[in-house]
Amino acid sequence: MVARWAGRKGRTYRTAKAKLHSISTTCWLCGHGDAYEADHEPPRKVLLRMGLDPNSLEYLRPAHGSSCPCPTCGLMCNQIKGASTKRPRMTCEW
């Protein structure tokens, strides 16, 4: 049995995340910089259900999260969004 989070620890995921952050570190949810987590859009479970690669840069977006809250507004944008398919209304809309 594969661990629930195994897909987000592997070399493929880490490589995709590094490429994403070499392109941009601006959070796609709040618009502030220094976002070092990767958010899946659409959510990872939807991508897997559709048979798509969740590690494709096409589906990854930089976001602030529990390991790196936004230095400007203090939000953990990725956790606020959760697994929703809708973009949440952030308190610091830009």
Side-chain angles (χ1 to χ4, degrees):
M1 184 163 104
V2 177
R4 181 176 173 207
W5 302 102
R8 289 170 257 191
K9 284 197 243 179
R11 183 180 306 171
T12 307
Y13 174 74
R14 289 192 313 264
T15 302
K17 187 176 171 182
K19 285 181 186 175
L20 172 69
H21 294 135
S22 70
I23 296 168
S24 174
T25 59
T26 301
C27 179
W28 80 284
L29 294 165
C30 73
H32 300 137
D34 297 330
Y36 295 104
E37 284 194 7
D39 182 28
H40 292 88
E41 183 57 32
R44 187 173 188 275
K45 65 183 179 184
V46 173
L47 292 168
L48 291 172
R49 195 177 323 129
M50 294 170 55
L52 300 171
D53 178 14
N55 295 322
S56 170
L57 287 179
E58 178 177 5
Y59 306 117
L60 292 175
R61 308 283 184 271
H64 297 108
S66 57
S67 66
C68 61
C70 180
T72 305
C73 60
L75 296 176
M76 292 180 277
C77 306
N78 201 8
Q79 279 66 28
I80 292 169
K81 176 183 172 275
S84 174
T85 56
K86 294 182 180 177
R87 185 172 176 210
R89 182 179 171 97
M90 305 302 284
T91 58
C92 54
E93 284 292 327
W94 47 291

